[in-house]
């Protein structure tokens, strides 16, 4: 039985992870769960899964949760603060960590899990985007196992030869006949939306993804296709390839989750209904398969498959991310930090949809030549970029 820590348990990935675990109680045990401040959902999860430890990053919310648990005579160790995330992720009581905290906040606990030799299910793409080589070097120096959770990266993983699945972070795809990774994306809700109306897009419109049920931040990233840009950078590090070895393909139906092209002309694709429980279940049970609660794909009712090249006039954030991937670590770190500030501002109706790109581009240009060689330098650069992005934001208001 695998003993699990779920970081980001109240978010969409965390909730889906716990759903899969609940369907397979003989295979998985929830030892610890962690979130930022959603006391209501966390309280219900405590009642259902009875973890040994719970982390609420926000201390006031941790105190509220502790009080509600005490009222029910439930004894659970409730911790608070960012360091507590690292502590539960490296706890000797667990062997598997679902790293599902959104954004750069997930970097340090994911890094701690790697250094503690855990089996890490990586849903936090920002860990690799912000620290790339540093993260991979830590992985190589440990006895940790890294398994991708993003539907696209999990699809690529499943389409690779068995030997390469065992070497995430240090794959040698060319020697195995792989020509190219084909990273699919739906194009989001504005794939056919008039370009001259982009500045009037509202947060409510941006959060209505046509196929996937995701949190607000990821939904906006999907609308700008920054999400695909971050996945592009993540794919480079997960599968040890160069930017020119990855191609983004728009696939509006989201049925093919990604593909791998081989030099003999073969293309292997992983397919299924758009439900994150599929890649979650795959990684939880790997190399076995378990029930994920996902309906089987019905080929007789499935819409036809469409494929398109991305239009960078429509998706400038995607082009910016690809260029950052080629430019180096500082550009990627800056891109992610600025984007988190910009997306939050957009969701708060402080800037226009098109301003997200302006903040991101200006920030990357400012910091692209910085040198980043350690995790401390990543954290420092991330902080400085956020401060810079906030100054741009204030100037726009």
């Amino acid at each position: 039985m695998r003993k699990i820590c779920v970081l980001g348990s109240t978010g969409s990935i965390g909730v889906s992870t716990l759903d899969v675990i609940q369907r397979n109680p003989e295979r998985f045990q929830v030892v610890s769960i962690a979130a930022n401040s959603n006391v209501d959902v966390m309280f219900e999860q405590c009642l259902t899964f009875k973890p040994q430890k719970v982390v609420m990053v926000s201390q006031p919310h941790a105190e509220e949760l502790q009080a509600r648990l005490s009222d029910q005579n439930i004894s659970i160790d409730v911790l608070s603060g960012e360091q507590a995330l690292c502590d539960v992720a490296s706890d000797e009581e667990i062997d598997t960590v679902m790293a599902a905290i959104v954004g750069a906040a997930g970097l340090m606990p994911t890094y701690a899990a790697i250094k503690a030799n855990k089996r890490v299910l990586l849903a936090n793409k920002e860990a690799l985007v912000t620290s790339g080589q540093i993260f991979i070097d830590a992985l190589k120096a440990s006895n940790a196992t890294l398994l991708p959770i993003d539907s696209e990266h999990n699809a690529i993983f499943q389409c690779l030869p068995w030997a390469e699945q065992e070497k995430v972070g240090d794959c040698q795809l060319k020697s195995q006949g792989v020509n190219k990774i084909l990273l699919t994306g739906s194009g989001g809700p504005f794939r056919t939306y008039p370009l001259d109306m982009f500045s009037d897009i509202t947060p409510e419109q941006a959060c209505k993804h046509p196929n996937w049920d995701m949190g607000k931040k990821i939904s906006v990233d999907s609308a700008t296709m920054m999400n695909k840009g971050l996945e592009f950078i993540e794919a480079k590090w997960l599968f040890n390839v160069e930017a020119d070895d990855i191609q983004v393909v728009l696939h509006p139906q989201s049925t093919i989750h990604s593909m791998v092209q081989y030099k003999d002309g073969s293309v292997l694709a992983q397919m299924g209904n758009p439900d994150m429980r599929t890649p979650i279940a795959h990684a939880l049970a790997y190399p076995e398969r378990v029930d994920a609660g996902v309906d089987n794909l019905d080929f007789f009712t499935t819409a036809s498959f469409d494929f398109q090249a991305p239009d960078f006039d429509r998706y400038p954030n995607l082009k910016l991310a690809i260029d950052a991937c080629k430019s180096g670590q500082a550009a990627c770190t800056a891109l992610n930090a600025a984007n988190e500030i910009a997306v939050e501002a957009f969701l708060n109706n402080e800037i226009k949809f098109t301003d997200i790109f302006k903040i991101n581009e200006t920030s990357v240009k400012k910091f692209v030549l910085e040198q980043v060689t350690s995790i401390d330098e990543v954290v420092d650069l991330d902080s400085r970029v956020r401060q810079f992005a906030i100054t741009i934001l204030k100037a726009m208001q």
Side-chain angles (χ1 to χ4, degrees):
M1 178 176 287
R2 295 202 173 279
K3 297 185 176 181
I4 316 291
C5 167
V6 182
L7 302 175
S9 67
T10 62
S12 60
I13 297 296
V15 170
S16 293
T17 299
L18 293 174
D19 180 80
V20 173
I21 290 173
Q22 194 169 24
R23 293 172 186 275
N24 299 276
E26 75 287 354
R27 301 290 299 270
F28 311 113
Q29 177 188 353
V30 177
V31 175
S32 54
I33 51 180
N36 183 40
S37 59
N38 193 331
V39 174
D40 290 340
V41 174
M42 182 62 86
F43 178 70
E44 293 301 322
Q45 291 176 348
C46 288
L47 295 181
T48 301
F49 295 96
K50 298 178 174 57
Q52 297 174 16
K53 296 179 181 179
V54 171
V55 176
M56 301 295 289
V57 177
S58 167
Q59 183 174 349
H61 291 91
E63 293 172 354
E64 180 184 346
L65 176 65
Q66 183 71 78
R68 291 177 64 174
L69 291 172
S70 297
D71 287 344
Q72 299 292 322
N73 294 317
I74 297 173
S75 178
I76 294 177
D77 191 7
V78 180
L79 310 171
S80 66
E82 295 179 357
Q83 181 57 45
L85 293 176
C86 297
D87 292 342
V88 295
S90 56
D91 194 330
E92 62 182 13
E93 293 295 321
I94 58 105
D95 53 57
T96 301
V97 175
M98 169 57 78
I101 295 175
V102 175
L107 171 60
M108 294 309 292
T110 306
Y111 191 69
I114 290 292
K115 295 188 72 173
N117 304 315
K118 303 302 181 184
R119 180 184 175 106
V120 178
L121 315 185
L122 188 66
N124 172 266
K125 63 178 65 64
E126 290 83 2
L128 278 172
V129 171
T130 58
S131 63
Q133 190 66 60
I134 301 163
F135 189 94
I136 293 300
D137 287 345
L139 174 65
K140 292 178 180 178
S142 73
N143 290 317
T145 300
L146 191 64
L147 294 169
I149 293 298
D150 271 349
S151 60
E152 296 82 359
H153 302 104
N154 183 267
I156 294 163
F157 178 91
Q158 293 195 51
C159 293
L160 292 178
W162 178 266
E164 299 310 302
Q165 292 183 4
E166 298 294 306
K167 298 188 295 185
V168 169
D170 194 29
C171 298
Q172 304 297 320
L173 299 190
K174 294 293 185 183
S175 67
Q176 295 293 326
V178 173
N179 258 359
K180 196 172 287 290
I181 286 172
L182 304 176
L183 190 66
T184 61
S186 70
F190 308 123
R191 184 176 56 85
T192 61
Y193 201 75
L195 282 173
D196 60 3
M197 295 177 64
F198 266 42
S199 62
D200 297 325
I201 289 171
T202 67
E204 291 73 24
Q205 289 174 302
C207 288
K208 291 181 180 178
H209 194 280
N211 301 327
W212 294 93
D213 181 15
M214 305 180 292
K216 289 184 177 181
K217 196 271 181 180
I218 298 176
S219 295
V220 174
D221 281 348
S222 180
T224 64
M225 284 204 76
M226 175 58 82
N227 201 44
K228 201 57 51 184
L230 299 180
E231 289 170 3
F232 188 102
I233 298 168
E234 184 183 8
K236 165 187 166 57
W237 293 112
L238 282 173
F239 305 114
N240 191 30
V241 295
E242 298 301 322
D244 290 340
D245 298 322
I246 309 168
Q247 182 177 358
V248 175
V249 179
L250 295 193
H251 169 50
Q253 292 80 19
S254 296
T255 306
I256 296 176
H257 299 144
S258 274
M259 300 173 279
V260 174
Q261 177 179 296
Y262 288 81
K263 65 181 180 182
D264 63 1
S266 299
V267 177
L268 301 187
Q270 189 271 337
M271 304 166 62
N273 286 314
D275 190 317
M276 284 304 300
R277 290 177 298 176
T278 295
I280 289 168
H282 173 265
L284 277 172
Y286 180 81
E288 300 177 37
R289 303 273 180 170
V290 296
D291 174 31
V294 180
D295 292 336
N296 290 326
L297 185 63
D298 185 348
F299 285 93
F300 301 113
T301 60
T302 298
S304 60
F305 297 161
D306 295 320
F307 303 99
Q308 303 166 7
D311 176 0
F312 292 132
D313 289 334
R314 183 174 295 274
Y315 305 115
N317 281 287
L318 174 59
K319 180 64 163 56
L320 184 63
I322 293 172
D323 289 343
C325 184
K326 296 177 180 179
S327 296
Q329 187 57 68
C332 297
T333 304
L335 176 72
N336 181 75
N339 186 63
E340 289 190 15
I341 296 296
V343 170
E344 182 179 8
F346 170 68
L347 286 169
N348 291 332
N349 291 297
E350 297 173 6
I351 60 172
K352 296 180 180 180
F353 183 77
T354 48
D355 289 334
I356 296 174
F357 172 71
K358 294 176 184 178
I359 294 174
N360 291 343
E361 181 185 40
T362 305
S363 299
V364 170
K365 287 181 177 179
K366 170 73 173 178
F367 295 97
V368 65
L369 297 179
E370 295 257 352
Q371 296 299 311
V372 185
T373 59
S374 70
I375 200 73
D376 289 338
E377 289 177 356
V378 168
V379 173
D380 176 68
L381 178 58
D382 178 88
S383 176
R384 288 188 287 120
V385 174
R386 289 171 190 272
Q387 293 172 8
F388 179 74
I390 289 171
T391 62
I392 303 172
L393 173 63
K394 289 180 178 178
M396 289 179 169
Q397 295 172 339

